[in-house]
Amino acid sequence: MLHSVVFIFLACLVPRSFSHPRSVAPPAQPCLAPTQWEGRIVEYDHSTGRNTRASVSYDGQNQQIRILEQKKGHVPCKKYYEYIYLFKSGVMFQIEQATKLCAKIALTQEWDPFDIPMNSTYEDQYFIGGPGDMIEVQEWSDRKPARRNEAWVGAYTVKDCYPVQETYTRNSSVTTSTRFFDLRLGISDPTVFTPPSTCQAALPVRMMSDC
């Protein structure tokens, strides 16, 4: 009986953290994300409340991205576009999917790959979902000492370093959150980065999505 009482007493002293998932020491540096993949994204613009769903072909080796907006139901006057970003050439092509009307616009922003910069700050490591899901991710940010507000936070899988979610804040006013899913390695069709022939007579200004 005494042994039982002692055992119960000691068990009560065991820290609660022992019953939680294993603690993880901060990694020395971020993982290396794949440089070529295809998949789908949902980008949420916090200022407009709009979600954009699209298929993506990402070629980090050649600094080019192709985004094909996905149609979800019928929205009156809504236009859907294909975007081809060629950062080495410094141009972006916007192609209206129905008419193939094309606009060619100079890129002002620098190439920003989907990866974790080496100077990022480690934030956390955790599992997505509930028991048995076992999708483990690491969260990183561009936060610096003294808890400066983050302009970028990214979650990437531990196993293969695939992007899961990224949140950007630009100019302290425009914030976008992007979710990534159904990713697969490689580029199945490299010609998606070649603008169609209609872009030979491209418009010089960006086309509007709504009426």
Side-chain angles (χ1 to χ4, degrees), residues 70-80:
Q70 294 181 334
K71 300 178 181 179
K72 291 293 183 181
H74 176 69
V75 181
C77 296
K78 171 70 176 176
K79 297 179 180 179
Y80 294 89

Side-chain angles (χ1 to χ4, degrees), residues 34-39 56-58 114 163 180 183-187:
T35 57
Q36 291 184 327
W37 51 262
E38 295 176 323
V56 177
S57 297
Y58 170 78
F114 288 123
F180 304 81
L183 303 189
R184 56 192 181 276
L185 283 177
I187 304 296

Side-chain angles (χ1 to χ4, degrees), residues 11-201:
C12 292
L13 294 180
V14 175
R16 292 183 62 190
S17 60
F18 284 2
S19 61
H20 292 176
R22 60 182 177 83
S23 59
V24 178
Q29 62 183 21
C31 59
L32 297 176
T35 57
Q36 291 184 327
W37 51 262
E38 295 176 323
R40 295 193 293 152
I41 63 169
V42 176
E43 182 181 88
Y44 175 68
D45 188 323
H46 294 246
S47 60
T48 63
R50 176 175 297 176
N51 283 293
T52 300
R53 302 177 182 274
S55 298
V56 177
S57 297
Y58 170 78
D59 182 4
Q61 295 180 7
N62 298 296
Q63 297 184 6
Q64 52 191 8
I65 302 174
R66 184 253 198 165
I67 297 176
L68 184 66
E69 292 183 339
Q70 294 181 334
K71 300 178 181 179
K72 291 293 183 181
H74 176 69
V75 181
C77 296
K78 171 70 176 176
K79 297 179 180 179
Y80 294 89
Y81 293 98
E82 173 186 3
Y83 297 89
I84 302 175
Y85 294 84
L86 305 176
F87 282 86
K88 286 187 176 181
S89 301
V91 295
M92 182 271 283
F93 293 92
Q94 179 192 23
I95 303 102
E96 207 273 304
Q97 293 186 30
T99 64
K100 300 303 179 183
L101 190 64
C102 180
K104 180 180 180 181
I105 303 166
L107 287 173
T108 57
Q109 70 268 36
E110 296 182 356
W111 167 250
D112 186 9
F114 288 123
D115 66 3
I116 310 171
M118 285 295 111
N119 62 347
S120 298
T121 298
Y122 172 79
E123 298 289 355
D124 202 357
Q125 183 164 324
Y126 48 83
F127 290 95
I128 295 177
D133 290 337
M134 302 303 290
I135 304 298
E136 193 170 14
V137 302
Q138 286 181 352
E139 190 175 286
W140 297 78
S141 77
D142 64 352
R143 177 177 59 84
K144 301 306 177 186
R147 296 298 300 183
R148 181 181 66 83
N149 292 337
E150 301 91 344
W152 169 82
V153 178
Y156 281 70
T157 61
V158 171
K159 182 177 181 293
D160 294 310
C161 208
Y162 282 114
V164 174
Q165 180 166 330
E166 286 196 347
T167 299
Y168 270 99
T169 301
R170 296 179 176 86
N171 301 324
S172 301
S173 59
V174 179
T175 300
T176 57
S177 295
T178 304
R179 293 182 286 118
F180 304 81
F181 47 95
D182 292 344
L183 303 189
R184 56 192 181 276
L185 283 177
I187 304 296
S188 59
D189 181 10
T191 64
V192 297
F193 301 109
T194 302
S197 58
T198 53
C199 290
Q200 294 178 1

Side-chain angles (χ1 to χ4, degrees), residues 76-79 208-211:
C77 296
K78 171 70 176 176
K79 297 179 180 179
M208 301 299 293
S209 297
D210 299 322
C211 302

